[in-house]
Amino acid sequence: MTTTTETTRSAVHRAILPIPITTARALIIIGGALTAASAFLSWTWTSAFPGDLTVDGYPGGLQWLTFAAGVLTAVFGLAGHGIRGLRRLNPAGSSSAELLLAVGGLAVTWFTLGAISVELGGLVNLTVGGWIAGIAALVPVAGALGLPIEGEPGSATSRGSALWRHIKNHPSIKPTRPLPAYAEILIIAAVLAVGLGLFTYGIDTGYGELFVGFLITVVFGAWALYSAGLTDQLSAITARHRSVTAIGAFAAAAAFPFTQSSDQYTSIGVNVLIFATVALGLNIVVGLAGLLDLGYVAFLGVGAYTAALVSGAATSSLHIVFPWWAAALTGAVASMVFGLLIGAPTLRLRGDYLAIVTLGFGEIFRIAVSNFDGVTGPNVTGGPNGIPNIPDISVFGIDLGKSHSLGGFTLGRFSNYFLLMLLFTAIVVLVFTRASDSRIGRAWIAIREDETAALAMGINGFRFKLLAFALGAGLAGLAGMVQAHMAFSVVPDPYQFAGSVPPNSAFLLAAVVLGGMGTVSGPLVGAALLYLIPAKLQFLNDYQLLAFGVALILLMRFRPEGLIASRRRQLEFHEAEQPILQTTEEAGLTKAKA
Amino acid sequence: MTTTLTENSTAPEPAASTTLLEAKGVIMRFGGLTAVRNVDLTVGSGEIVGLIGPNGAGKTTFFNCLTGLYVPTEGQVTYKGTVLPPKPYKVTQAGISRTFQNIRLFSNMTVLENVLVGRHTRTKEGLISALLRGPGYRRAEAEARTRAMEILDFVGLAAKADRLSRNLPYGEQRKLEIARALAGDPGVLLLDEPTAGMNPQETRATQELVFAIRDQGIAVLVIEHDMRFIFSLCDRVACLVQGEKLVEGTPAVVQSDERVISAYLGTPYDGAPGSEEVAEVQAAEAAADGATSEEEDR
């Protein structure tokens, strides 16, 4: 599509396809509507493909995703056309948003058609409706390619193709006047509700094809919203209402078990939450203090083993039973002590040396607990069999092992643990935010930036590094307590450096880097993705790690600051691409954030 | 114990000043190489003392001995009569702040945050109070911010408090380093080549800034290669050549000293430093720097 004459043409028209702009817009709107409508047709003959795509007049399974993408494309097309009230949808006025939505619709539709053809054996399995959908999805893409590309004319042509400019597009929006407070809070609530809905939909997907389709739609949708400048506006709004956002986010997370009718998916939910919380603890060590810890999962293990030992399990070598809060505290304190013991000798090292030594200590923990079995060492941890049959805990008289009904909803065992874990997540989030924005947090960041200069500023480097290490370890220990009780048993195997199932040290670090170092929401999002994708895509099996590696490489190439960037890192990596704001504007923005 | 910026003290007569910082017989050896040989130096209150010398003379090594980055092999450094502990953060705590020859700001922190880090030793809030956020914590944090803004105002960077420090122009980065050092409420400020790479206007502005700092009652020890800057700024100048203090005195005395001139211009005389020796000293300093900051480039 892009030809060698592109350079000369782009100077005049600056679009990839040479069609008039009005025609292009019409193509987007009509094509989007057609794509959405085609979801109502039947796409295949038999119900052998999951989701039953054989019904005319009602979308099913993956067709819903095509429908959603089509509707969004049409709506953004209308917004681009300048319909009153829809303008706010695309504050950056970016044609990339329309292109991304159209491509997203095309991708999810063609993925569905491809999956039908491959799984059922040939294109013959597609009905006329399927062919119509496939062609209809092409129309808005063609339209979007006919729109002019924003960016300085000629500046990017030397560096890459026009398509590349769409990919590299960073939205530039002028700071808008704040809406009334109630409207902004309503927007936050709506976004959180949509977020909860998306998370629930993703976690509830019953088959791999639907999850892949869901991922495609969400990735392109989120990218389009970013291009449109909506995510920037949203972060400005949430920055103005930080406590509302935080409380709302936890309310939305607490609502998750109530959306589930069985415990089938809440077990995934609680595992995601444990993984995310531990990743956030690691973010203190890696993201704030800049200490590369490759053995962090050992602290989760210490917390879990400690909680198991004081749980009153028959196989525990200590025959004592602690109440839940005491067990959690014991787990945290034991982890913290372990962190101090490991940190005191290792934190005198810097950089790569520290990484290697922590990696070693992480493995030492796992091998040591496998050997404390009464044969090769004292009988403390039950060796490779671990400590099985850990009893459920009761919190304020509520037995977490049993189902409870609350206001017409039944909360199963995993739902109970989900809510308990959410409490610990809230504690960790609070600790992280308050510590990072304080004298202590500034000292950590200073050490990360330049340790020699930090020392010269009067910061006791070793002490503060040890503090970060111990605090991170203690927070992981908290999560370990829930993990031990939720999983019924603790065994040494999961607490290794790299494995197929998160959390392990490599995945924890990946969650932090992928999500965004130094932020609260980054590791939470990263951990959710890293847990859900392997859990949902079991058909990938052998290629799982390969896909994971490719995804990480792509991310590091295009968004090295992580999915959710702190303001600081955003500036660090994309300084050249962003105009420096006027001082007054910037002061205003930061004041709003504070 | 330390003087503050807001306190207005008139510059006292150098003769009447009390000794603040005193180095006695400082020797620094790296293996077989002696980078600093038996150097004595005093800085009195209200004084601006200059330290000059050709490249590789051991000026920065001597600085590092004063600030605890290096532990002198022999000799001792006292501040207000007490021997300084051999840890940089304790030296800063005692009241000696410094800047670096090659700018070492916390580049991904804002200008204000940089100064707040410099304020570290004068605030006490620990982790627990940061987590609980009681009224005492809020008050201390607000005070630290007010003070930091005062200092930024003093050096003329208040308008850029929320910029990332890496985005500041070079001259302002130098100023910010001084502001960060001032935030520790020092009694003595050590400046390591504060005008390196500056144009004449910026150099003059820096000179004014140093005078203003002196007028706040803070003694200044400055390393510099710009002779016009140093001779118009300092009350006393010491010249270091090949690790040894060659001469010390008023700018006029040092300026007209033949040995200083020959050390800079290379007129041969008995015992002049050869180029191999200079290179040796530099290599040793670089090696020592590398040992203390191995992963800076990471």
Side-chain angles (χ1 to χ4, degrees):
Chain A
M1 280 186 245
T2 51
T3 60
T4 45
T5 58
E6 186 244 323
T7 320
T8 49
R9 197 200 308 146
S10 68
V12 188
H13 188 75
R14 287 171 48 226
I16 296 169
L17 288 186
I19 36 178
I21 290 176
T22 41
T23 321
R25 290 225 179 278
L27 279 178
I28 293 174
I29 298 165
I30 295 166
L34 275 180
T35 313
S38 71
F40 286 83
L41 300 172
S42 71
W43 288 6
T44 181
W45 307 103
T46 63
S47 57
F49 188 78
D52 193 8
L53 310 182
T54 60
V55 189
D56 271 323
Y58 191 78
L62 280 155
Q63 288 176 327
W64 275 115
L65 297 171
T66 297
F67 175 73
V71 168
L72 276 176
T73 312
V75 168
F76 268 78
L78 286 172
H81 197 59
I83 303 289
R84 272 179 73 92
L86 287 180
R87 274 277 180 76
R88 275 188 172 275
L89 274 180
N90 197 345
S94 146
S95 65
S96 301
E98 284 147 287
L99 179 68
L100 286 165
L101 283 172
V103 170
L106 179 74
V108 73
T109 309
W110 281 24
F111 165 76
T112 310
L113 301 176
I116 292 172
S117 312
V118 170
E119 282 175 36
L120 304 187
L123 290 173
V124 72
N125 291 289
L126 299 178
T127 62
V128 180
W131 288 105
I132 291 176
I135 293 162
L138 273 174
V139 177
V141 178
L145 287 177
L147 289 180
I149 303 154
E150 54 274 327
E152 288 152 48
S155 67
T157 42
S158 54
R159 284 198 290 135
S161 70
L163 214 57
W164 185 246
R165 253 180 293 160
H166 272 301
I167 293 171
K168 293 285 282 181
N169 173 39
H170 287 276
S172 56
I173 48 167
K174 294 187 190 79
T176 47
R177 210 149 30 87
L179 295 167
Y182 73 90
E184 295 199 334
I185 290 170
L186 275 180
I187 290 174
I188 292 172
V191 168
L192 287 172
V194 170
L196 174 68
L198 282 178
F199 183 74
T200 312
Y201 185 90
I203 220 171
D204 285 357
T205 49
Y207 44 98
E209 295 86 346
L210 186 58
F211 186 73
V212 174
F214 168 74
L215 272 190
I216 293 174
T217 318
V218 167
V219 165
F220 278 100
W223 195 355
L225 295 186
Y226 170 73
S227 283
L230 282 179
T231 50
D232 284 7
Q233 282 201 332
L234 182 67
S235 59
I237 290 177
T238 52
R240 282 196 283 271
H241 305 276
R242 261 160 93 170
S243 48
V244 173
T245 312
I247 294 168
F250 278 103
F256 167 72
F258 295 95
T259 64
Q260 302 294 311
S261 50
S262 77
D263 249 3
Q264 191 185 356
Y265 297 123
T266 42
S267 71
I268 297 184
V270 64
N271 276 313
V272 166
L273 207 52
I274 291 174
F275 182 28
T277 309
V278 180
L280 191 54
L282 178 62
N283 204 12
I284 293 181
V285 183
V286 175
L288 292 183
L291 308 166
L292 188 53
D293 184 351
L294 296 182
Y296 189 68
V297 82
F299 301 126
L300 179 69
V302 173
Y305 266 98
T306 311
L309 284 173
V310 299
S311 66
T315 45
S316 157
S317 50
L318 302 174
H319 297 283
I320 42 174
V321 188
F322 277 14
W324 69 278
W325 53 269
L329 276 183
T330 320
V333 169
S335 279
M336 214 175 259
V337 169
F338 191 67
L340 288 175
L341 284 179
I342 290 184
T346 57
L347 287 175
R348 295 171 197 281
L349 299 171
R350 289 186 184 187
D352 310 350
Y353 305 101
L354 177 69
I356 296 295
V357 171
T358 51
L359 174 66
F361 270 102
E363 290 296 293
I364 286 172
F365 166 76
R366 184 173 61 85
I367 295 164
V369 292
S370 336
N371 282 307
F372 288 160
D373 58 356
V375 183
T376 48
N379 187 7
V380 183
T381 59
N385 297 326
I387 303 172
N389 299 326
I390 300 173
D392 282 305
I393 41 178
S394 63
V395 176
F396 303 126
I398 302 164
D399 185 355
L400 294 191
K402 295 197 177 69
S403 290
H404 300 278
S405 66
L406 187 68
F409 295 98
T410 309
L411 293 180
R413 180 173 180 276
F414 286 117
S415 299
N416 298 333
Y417 279 108
F418 181 89
L419 292 174
L420 176 66
M421 192 59 224
L422 195 61
L423 174 71
F424 288 140
T425 309
I427 293 172
V428 175
V429 168
L430 195 74
V431 168
F432 183 90
T433 49
R434 292 202 158 175
S436 66
D437 178 30
S438 73
R439 174 174 172 267
I440 309 294
R442 286 192 295 267
W444 283 335
I445 298 171
I447 290 171
R448 184 191 75 195
E449 293 288 313
D450 187 334
E451 193 166 342
T452 308
L455 286 176
M457 290 306 115
I459 293 167
N460 184 341
F462 178 69
R463 217 177 113 199
F464 275 85
K465 287 198 281 185
L466 199 59
L467 182 65
F469 214 67
L471 183 66
L475 296 178
L478 271 183
M481 174 263 182
V482 178
Q483 196 197 31
H485 285 276
M486 187 269 304
F488 294 115
S489 68
V490 285
V491 286
D493 267 356
Y495 306 110
Q496 55 192 350
F497 171 66
S500 53
V501 185
N504 52 56
S505 296
F507 269 70
L508 282 168
L509 195 64
V512 172
V513 175
L514 186 90
M517 291 211 280
T519 61
V520 175
S521 43
L524 301 183
V525 171
L529 283 178
L530 281 185
Y531 193 89
L532 282 181
I533 291 172
K536 285 292 177 184
L537 298 186
Q538 273 152 1
F539 67 88
L540 272 180
N541 273 333
D542 298 343
Y543 303 106
Q544 189 177 299
L545 282 174
L546 176 72
F548 173 55
V550 170
L552 268 187
I553 292 171
L554 287 178
L555 193 87
M556 287 302 107
R557 172 64 187 82
F558 293 110
R559 207 168 156 79
E561 70 273 31
L563 292 176
I564 294 167
S566 66
R567 193 172 68 95
R568 196 170 277 142
R569 293 188 78 78
Q570 177 88 50
L571 287 169
E572 188 177 336
F573 285 107
H574 296 294
E575 197 181 6
E577 295 157 33
Q578 287 182 333
I580 294 171
L581 294 170
Q582 291 300 308
T583 322
T584 46
E585 277 175 17
E586 199 176 53
L589 277 176
T590 25
K591 222 170 270 168
K593 277 186 183 176
Chain B
M1 122 177 198
T2 48
T3 43
T4 60
L5 276 179
T6 40
E7 197 175 300
N8 259 326
S9 60
T10 48
E13 290 291 302
S17 73
T18 54
T19 304
L20 280 180
L21 182 68
E22 185 172 23
K24 252 191 262 170
V26 170
I27 298 178
M28 184 73 214
R29 288 198 194 93
F30 299 106
L33 187 126
T34 311
V36 177
R37 280 170 214 224
N38 212 8
V39 173
D40 297 328
L41 192 75
T42 57
V43 180
S45 60
E47 251 190 323
I48 300 177
V49 179
L51 191 60
I52 58 170
N55 282 326
K59 301 181 298 293
T60 300
T61 311
F62 181 62
F63 246 48
N64 288 342
C65 291
L66 295 183
T67 52
L69 271 178
Y70 297 161
V71 183
T73 323
E74 275 171 49
Q76 64 177 24
V77 183
T78 55
Y79 177 72
K80 290 185 175 170
T82 50
V83 178
L84 283 175
K87 294 268 193 237
Y89 60 88
K90 286 184 182 161
V91 172
T92 313
Q93 173 85 39
I96 298 174
S97 293
R98 69 169 294 175
T99 64
F100 290 90
Q101 186 176 353
N102 42 345
I103 300 175
R104 301 190 89 147
L105 289 170
F106 307 120
S107 50
N108 292 312
M109 298 176 92
T110 65
V111 169
L112 179 64
E113 283 172 328
N114 265 282
V115 181
L116 284 171
V117 170
R119 192 99 197 113
H120 186 88
T121 51
R122 303 295 168 228
T123 44
K124 286 187 178 52
E125 282 59 48
L127 183 61
I128 304 293
S129 70
L131 295 184
L132 296 179
R133 299 263 151 131
Y137 171 84
R138 284 159 198 266
R139 204 180 317 118
E141 190 79 345
E143 272 168 21
R145 276 172 198 275
T146 317
R147 183 85 180 99
M149 283 310 291
E150 270 174 35
I151 293 165
L152 282 178
D153 202 38
F154 176 70
V155 301
L157 284 175
K160 300 191 170 177
D162 290 314
R163 291 273 185 93
L164 279 194
S165 63
R166 71 208 311 272
N167 291 346
L168 290 183
Y170 180 82
E172 292 184 346
Q173 292 197 0
R174 285 264 176 220
K175 271 190 195 170
L176 178 56
E177 256 213 326
I178 294 175
R180 190 178 67 174
L182 285 175
D185 289 344
V188 179
L189 180 63
L190 274 59
L191 302 174
D192 198 345
E193 298 198 21
T195 67
M198 282 187 174
N199 62 31
Q201 285 85 359
E202 288 171 324
T203 306
R204 213 168 304 129
T206 307
Q207 195 171 336
E208 295 303 314
L209 182 61
V210 175
F211 279 132
I213 290 168
R214 194 264 316 268
D215 292 346
Q216 306 283 1
I218 299 168
V220 180
L221 176 62
V222 51
I223 293 180
E224 193 44 77
H225 279 303
D226 186 335
M227 291 304 145
R228 187 171 298 152
F229 174 77
I230 209 106
F231 287 129
S232 58
L233 184 75
C234 299
D235 303 316
R236 208 144 48 78
V237 177
C239 180
L240 224 58
V241 175
Q242 215 200 333
E244 273 175 294
K245 191 168 78 175
L246 208 59
V247 63
E248 186 184 340
T250 58
V253 171
V254 175
Q255 216 167 350
S256 54
D257 192 290
E258 270 180 27
R259 290 169 300 169
V260 175
I261 296 167
S262 55
Y264 270 95
L265 298 181
T267 316
Y269 75 103
D270 283 349
S275 56
E276 321 88 19
E277 285 162 292
V278 170
E280 236 181 325
V281 173
Q282 274 176 334
E285 276 191 14
D289 267 339
T292 51
S293 56
E294 235 160 327
E295 47 91 55
E296 299 304 328
D297 310 329
R298 218 169 49 78

